[in-house]
Amino acid sequence: MPEAMVAPASDATRGNPAQNPTQEVDVAVIGAGFAGLYALHRLRQAGLTAVGLDEAGDVGGTWYWNRYPGARCDIQTIDYSYTFDPALEGAWTWSEKYATQPEILRYLGFVADRYDLRRDIRFHTKVTAATWDEGAQRWQLTTDNGASVSCRYYIMATGCLSAPKPPEIDGVKDFKGAVYFTSRWPHDGVNLAGKRVAVIGTGSSGIQAIPMIAEQAAQLTVFQRTPNFALPAHNGPVPADRLFLLEGDRATYREQARWSPAGVPWPKQTAVSWQLSDAERRERFETAWAKGDLVYILTQLWADQAVDVDGNARVAELVREKIRGIVRDPETAAALSPHDHPFGAKRPCLDTNYYATYNRPNVTLVNLRQEPIKAITASGITTDKRSFDLDVIVFATGFDAMTGAILAVHPIMGRGGKTLSEAWANGPQTYLGLTVAGFPNLFMVTGPGSPSVLSNMAVSIEQHIDWVVDRLVAMREAGFTTMEATETAQEGWARHMADCSMLTLHRLANTWYTGANVPGKAQGVMPYTGGVGPYRGICNEVVGRGMLGFKLAGPGVAEQCNDGEIVCLQPDVRLVLNMLAEMNLPPIETLGAEGARAFLNEFNKSRPAGRLVGEVGEGMLQGADGPLPYRLYRPATPGPHPIIVYFHGGGWVLGDEQSDDPFCRDMCRRSDMIVVSVGYRHAPEHRFPAAAEDGHAATRWIAEHAAELGGRAGPVLVAGWSAGGNVAAVTCQLAKARGGPEIAGQLLVCPVTDCAFDRASYAENATGYFLTRGLMFWFWDIYCSPADRTDPRASPLRGELSGLPPAFVVTAEFDPLRDEGIAYAEALANAGVPVEQLKGRGHFHSSFTMVDVVITGAIGRARMAEALRGFAGLPKQTTQRDDGARPVRPAVPLDVNAAAG
Ligand code: NA7
């Protein structure tokens, strides 16, 4: 029964493939939904012959099949539209904010007619297998209806949510009543009046259908395994403000959408939740709730809502409060309230009267977490606790998302007879979500690795197809006939995907985004979480860098293989560097010391405020030659706490005890220790060895005044970043040489350790990563004369290292100082000092101190705090919140961005 229900309707027009000749085209496009239609249009414009193939009886893709009551899109329809032709936009007007399935289907039919696309589409035709013919350099497709197809290029426009998941519950075949799938709803509708109906599943489909079914059915029983967050859609006319924006300047609106994070133009939110009062947060939330817009509520509340568990928990609780306010029965309200995943990590739903439906007398919620389904019987559904007599069962159980429809063509056999199922046995591997190594000339539209389901699909689809068709045209012009991703490029993309998955909380939920909804499916975050705009930039960069990561070949032309990885930086580091590049700043070293200090002050004003700690205080301490200011960060927990003496970065010239404020707060919170940031003296006013001597004197003073500062008596710890890392390292050497103070451990973050500039990292990262070689030269010149530079107080690498406190040395891959940091760690280890290294892959000099900006640095910051706790003899903390529980296994380990050396 279920298999029959999920199979497409049989059709009398099916032919006998054996009797049919092969259809020869340049391109075969599988799927006639949003993606397939646009692909056919673009291919025809480009002068390529193409055929579309679809199992359905007409165009529409997922909108052809998903006809259940209440089916609508959940991106506002003015955004969920084609944008490639302004005349098309002018020719169609949506009647509602969120169009119904029939209206969307009419729209797709209208587009097919307008561009006369149906003549190139073979409906009721399923592609049963695809094989790469090495000799012909073409794909051979077999079908279940009519001619097989031979094509140069094979585009899978099969959709992300089009392969329904089987019901996975025993006994469906025994049920005597009617069984329906929301994903394969009968075209002539279903009359549920007077029926006892069950709905299994409370994802978007269930949540949209349940209120409609409740109105018709005599009795509705909803079987819920996991509650989902749902928000009122407030459907109606297209909102005037959005229409005003769109119609005011359509081209700009569309262009902003193309470069936005999710494919809908909303501004980037900058306020962080901990800066807002309860009342401010509530006001923002109420505005979002009233708007009825998924992208708005997912992005516009506060900047940390999607990246930080604490910021997210605040939204989740406000939604749960709404549920409690709507649903009268407290037990039902509790069962409907999600607690097992962050808000937005599983796709929230847009609903119309969903929660209020549970106040109806004819609706019952069965919480499958408390009473799992035992079986479906002839008369209904039996749980652990009771039996329900039913006339109808509706499965709203979702899809084998992202990969299901692609792998449904089986086998897809690439080079050397390897099938795609084999290549993806451990989860999908792609380059850009568009191509797969070993499968030349195969393209996927919104495949795994594309922003796809985390974006406005219309925007992603147009970008993908434009990119692919433009490539085919460029290849034709250059005489190439095959294009294939390299293994290196594909592996790099997997790493980049894993890095990106640290930017959101999707990794913390078991969902169809991660493959967790299908038993036995390999798990990992499948959509690209780096955002639509950045993704578009990367695709453009691939082309700009000579088709980086692709092998191109053709008869009569020399093969081209520009092997490599397109993104080696952490995704947020890339954004920061791109932003800095766009600012076109003058080199800092040209500003003079005062100018550079003023620049840094201004620059720091734009960063997110650091997190709250128990207390921040200021005071003066005794330096080597007079009083120095300090800033003290105290944890909120009861003390006394061990003390970390911290030295800020700034090349011995810039910064002060406040300039690394977010990092000091972060270390204080994570380590649960006091951080005292020292305002040591700077050059050019106070040149070498002022900073070094102040470092030692300040540490001695703090150790001696630990009790006064509310700290724990006994050894202190030292830490520092950049030139501050140099001061911290030197302080440890001076403390050992001069008999104190006692230091229990040193944290050196991207430290300056030597005056030699000939290490490879100085050449490799000379420019382009903010801290340049030129800037380092300038810092050295201001701080220290050439004659003094080999003094261990300037170049601690040249000092006596045995007997120093244990060290945790952090370096960043794209930092001129990388190799001297590594050299120092190795030299310490050789001298018998216990050392741990953290090599920040894809990071730059400022990654770890840019708290709440370089989110991917959080893993490293957590490890630094753990190291500091270890030095202080404190027990290991249980999981850090922002890199903690990860039920989802990614394609590659999540913590590779901070690989231990
Ligand atoms: P979803 O979002 O995958 O929802 C499927 C629902 O069905 C979900 O609540 C599942 O619970 C439930 N489910 C799945 N299998 C079972 C079994 N065997 N027993 C009980 N309950 C089950 O699919 P939708 O069609 O609603 O929406 C898909 C997307 O389409 C949507 O996000 C929009 O983007 C459009 P679980 O959460 O797995 O415990």
Side-chain angles (χ1 to χ4, degrees):
M1 183 66 166
E3 287 74 16
M5 291 304 299
V6 295
S10 67
D11 193 276
T13 61
R14 285 176 200 287
N16 177 356
Q19 293 170 350
N20 291 299
T22 298
Q23 182 177 8
E24 300 265 343
V25 283
D26 294 327
V27 191
V29 178
I30 319 305
F34 255 102
L37 291 180
Y38 182 52
L40 289 174
H41 172 63
R42 276 291 330 258
L43 290 164
R44 196 186 282 167
Q45 277 187 325
L48 292 153
T49 58
V51 61
L53 299 149
D54 199 305
E55 253 180 290
D58 198 356
V59 299
T62 205
W63 296 107
Y64 176 89
W65 299 107
N66 280 267
R67 297 173 186 241
Y68 59 87
R72 291 177 188 270
C73 55
D74 60 6
I75 297 282
Q76 289 200 27
T77 334
I78 56 165
D79 298 303
Y80 189 64
S81 305
Y82 291 114
T83 68
F84 63 87
D85 181 356
L88 169 63
E89 294 202 53
W92 182 268
T93 305
W94 292 105
S95 67
E96 289 183 277
K97 178 178 168 188
Y98 297 106
T100 58
Q101 173 271 335
E103 188 175 7
I104 299 171
L105 195 56
R106 274 200 305 280
Y107 172 70
L108 293 171
F110 172 79
V111 171
D113 289 342
R114 188 179 171 93
Y115 301 98
D116 189 21
L117 300 174
R118 282 194 180 90
R119 71 177 152 96
D120 286 335
I121 306 173
R122 289 167 53 185
F123 294 109
H124 297 299
T125 305
K126 181 176 172 177
V127 176
T128 47
T131 307
W132 174 248
D133 180 339
E134 198 72 57
Q137 299 281 288
R138 293 173 74 86
W139 283 96
Q140 311 296 344
L141 312 184
T142 55
T143 71
D144 71 343
N145 182 17
S148 55
V149 176
S150 164
C151 54
R152 176 76 65 199
Y153 305 106
Y154 170 30
I155 299 181
M156 298 211 77
T158 38
C160 295
L161 296 158
S162 44
K165 206 170 70 100
E168 303 155 0
I169 300 172
D170 291 342
V172 185
K173 287 194 173 75
D174 304 331
F175 182 59
K176 295 279 184 274
V179 172
Y180 301 104
F181 284 75
T182 49
S183 52
R184 290 289 182 272
W185 202 254
H187 288 198
D188 37 8
V190 179
N191 183 2
L192 297 171
K195 302 271 170 54
R196 295 163 302 170
V197 181
V199 172
I200 303 178
T202 52
S204 287
S205 305
I207 283 176
Q208 286 184 334
I210 284 164
M212 307 285 280
I213 295 175
E215 283 176 13
Q216 296 175 34
Q219 175 65 41
L220 169 62
T221 311
V222 176
F223 292 82
Q224 172 194 272
R225 190 162 66 183
T226 314
N228 221 336
F229 291 103
L231 322 154
H234 299 306
N235 201 21
V238 177
D241 56 340
R242 300 307 289 171
L243 205 55
F244 178 78
L245 273 180
L246 173 65
E247 290 182 345
D249 184 350
R250 196 172 281 270
T252 302
Y253 183 96
R254 295 301 190 204
E255 196 57 12
Q256 283 173 348
R258 293 182 187 119
W259 291 97
S260 67
V264 181
W266 288 106
K268 193 171 162 45
Q269 189 48 244
T270 50
V272 280
S273 65
W274 63 92
Q275 274 181 304
L276 302 167
S277 67
D278 272 354
E280 286 168 329
R281 284 196 294 266
R282 194 168 284 274
E283 192 190 321
R284 283 169 178 244
F285 175 76
E286 291 296 343
T287 303
W289 191 261
K291 265 210 160 34
D293 187 301
L294 203 53
V295 182
Y296 185 91
I297 202 166
L298 285 168
T299 60
Q300 299 297 303
L301 295 176
W302 36 85
D304 51 318
Q305 67 178 95
V307 299
D308 180 81
V309 277
D310 294 333
N312 186 278
R314 293 183 157 124
V315 194
E317 186 43 35
L318 287 166
V319 180
R320 288 191 289 264
E321 200 180 292
K322 286 284 183 195
I323 300 171
R324 291 193 292 272
I326 300 169
V327 180
R328 285 191 214 113
D329 172 42
E331 201 182 322
T332 306
L336 288 166
S337 299
H339 283 279
D340 73 327
H341 63 275
F343 174 76
K346 187 172 194 157
R347 193 177 183 101
C349 309
L350 278 183
D351 77 275
T352 302
N353 296 330
Y354 176 63
Y355 292 117
T357 296
Y358 291 94
N359 293 333
R360 293 175 66 107
N362 68 330
V363 176
T364 308
L365 179 71
V366 176
N367 182 351
L368 299 181
R369 299 284 177 207
Q370 286 174 0
E371 47 176 317
I373 294 176
K374 273 195 358 208
I376 293 177
T377 64
S379 60
I381 294 179
T382 305
T383 70
D384 267 6
K385 293 188 179 156
R386 47 193 165 151
S387 290
F388 298 86
D389 287 336
L390 299 165
D391 304 311
V392 176
I393 299 177
V394 174
F395 282 93
T397 40
F399 300 88
D400 182 354
M402 313 275 313
T403 54
I406 296 172
L407 295 174
V409 176
H410 186 73
I412 297 175
M413 202 177 282
R415 262 194 217 290
K418 188 168 186 179
T419 68
L420 192 59
S421 310
E422 287 162 358
W424 285 5
N426 296 320
Q429 300 291 322
T430 71
Y431 182 36
L432 306 171
L434 291 167
T435 58
V436 185
F439 295 81
N441 291 359
L442 166 66
F443 300 95
M444 295 167 299
V445 183
T446 63
S450 133
S452 60
V453 290
L454 296 179
S455 71
N456 173 1
M457 280 295 217
V459 168
S460 285
I461 283 169
E462 285 189 344
Q463 184 272 342
H464 291 0
I465 287 164
D466 287 341
W467 193 90
V468 170
V469 177
D470 289 348
R471 300 291 66 72
L472 301 190
V473 171
M475 283 166 64
R476 183 177 59 194
E477 283 163 9
F480 294 121
T481 50
T482 60
M483 165 174 170
E484 184 182 349
T486 68
E487 291 286 349
T488 315
Q490 184 163 287
E491 282 160 19
W493 192 248
R495 251 189 308 277
H496 177 58
M497 288 275 293
D499 291 343
C500 286
S501 74
M502 289 307 297
L503 295 180
T504 69
L505 301 176
H506 291 102
R507 68 190 187 283
L508 303 184
N510 290 317
T511 64
W512 59 260
Y513 292 142
T514 67
N517 68 328
V518 176
K521 186 166 174 172
Q523 290 188 42
V525 179
M526 290 186 286
Y528 179 76
T529 53
V532 166
Y535 175 84
R536 177 181 293 268
I538 290 167
C539 289
N540 293 351
E541 194 180 324
V542 167
V543 179
R545 291 172 66 185
M547 293 301 286
L548 184 63
F550 284 105
K551 218 177 327 176
L552 304 175
V557 282
E559 188 175 298
Q560 172 190 317
C561 181
N562 187 5
D563 203 6
E565 284 179 48
I566 185 66
V567 185
C568 297
L569 290 167
Q570 290 296 323
D572 38 11
V573 170
R574 189 171 187 274
L575 292 183
V576 168
L577 291 173
N578 284 347
M579 194 192 71
L580 289 167
E582 274 167 26
M583 288 164 78
N584 215 2
L585 299 166
I588 295 174
E589 60 272 28
T590 62
L591 301 176
E594 280 310 320
R597 286 170 188 166
F599 164 78
L600 184 69
N601 283 343
E602 275 310 301
F603 190 74
N604 283 349
K605 280 183 196 157
S606 63
R607 66 189 175 181
R611 307 283 174 118
L612 298 179
V613 297
E615 182 197 354
V616 178
E618 279 168 17
M620 300 299 287
L621 54 75
Q622 195 56 37
D625 189 29
L628 300 173
Y630 71 82
R631 185 173 252 218
L632 183 145
Y633 303 84
R634 193 186 310 286
T637 52
H641 305 92
I643 297 180
I644 305 161
V645 182
Y646 179 77
F647 301 104
H648 65 83
W652 309 282
V653 176
L654 315 176
D656 55 31
E657 71 282 5
Q658 304 188 16
S659 54
D660 290 350
D661 184 75
F663 184 59
C664 290
R665 288 171 182 269
D666 195 62
M667 283 301 111
C668 170
R669 286 174 77 243
R670 287 178 187 275
S671 67
D672 200 32
M673 289 191 247
I674 290 174
V675 175
V676 182
S677 175
V678 178
Y680 58 90
R681 286 172 296 160
H682 289 160
E685 295 84 351
H686 306 280
R687 302 189 75 207
F688 173 84
E693 291 298 338
D694 275 352
H696 177 247
T699 306
R700 184 187 286 282
W701 187 92
I702 291 165
E704 285 167 357
H705 295 78
E708 248 169 75
L709 297 171
R712 196 178 75 178
V716 294
L717 312 169
V718 295
W721 167 55
S722 192
N726 170 277
V727 175
V730 169
T731 293
C732 291
Q733 294 190 12
L734 293 180
K736 189 193 73 178
R738 298 176 185 175
E742 206 184 328
I743 297 174
Q746 47 181 328
L747 167 66
L748 311 178
V749 185
C750 304
V752 185
T753 69
D754 194 32
C755 56
F757 304 121
D758 54 1
R759 292 186 177 84
S761 58
Y762 252 101
E764 288 167 17
N765 307 314
T767 58
Y769 303 105
F770 198 57
L771 178 66
T772 61
R773 180 166 56 182
L775 183 56
M776 274 313 298
F777 286 176
W778 184 68
F779 283 144
W780 269 109
D781 285 345
I782 294 181
Y783 180 52
C784 194
S785 68
D788 286 335
R789 288 184 193 178
T790 52
D791 186 316
R793 287 176 300 167
S795 295
L797 186 59
R798 294 166 195 247
E800 169 54 49
L801 305 184
S802 64
L804 287 175
F808 191 82
V809 182
V810 181
T811 51
E813 185 180 0
F814 295 98
D815 181 359
L817 304 183
R818 178 193 68 204
D819 291 347
E820 67 193 74
I822 292 172
Y824 195 61
E826 287 171 354
L828 285 172
N830 289 340
V833 177
V835 182
E836 227 187 303
Q837 275 197 69
L838 188 154
K839 294 177 180 170
R841 183 180 56 72
H843 284 291
F844 79 134
H845 186 68
S846 306
S847 278
F848 295 107
T849 48
M850 292 186 87
V851 180
D852 295 314
V853 175
V854 178
I855 308 291
T856 53
I859 307 167
R861 289 189 285 271
R863 285 192 50 204
M864 292 177 212
E866 268 319 312
L868 288 166
R869 286 179 65 81
F871 296 149
L874 299 180
K876 251 183 145 30
Q877 278 180 324
T878 48
T879 48
Q880 289 283 344
R881 303 207 62 185
D882 50 6
D883 61 323
R886 293 184 205 125
V888 173
R889 188 170 57 80
V892 292
L894 279 174
D895 56 355
V896 287
N897 89 46

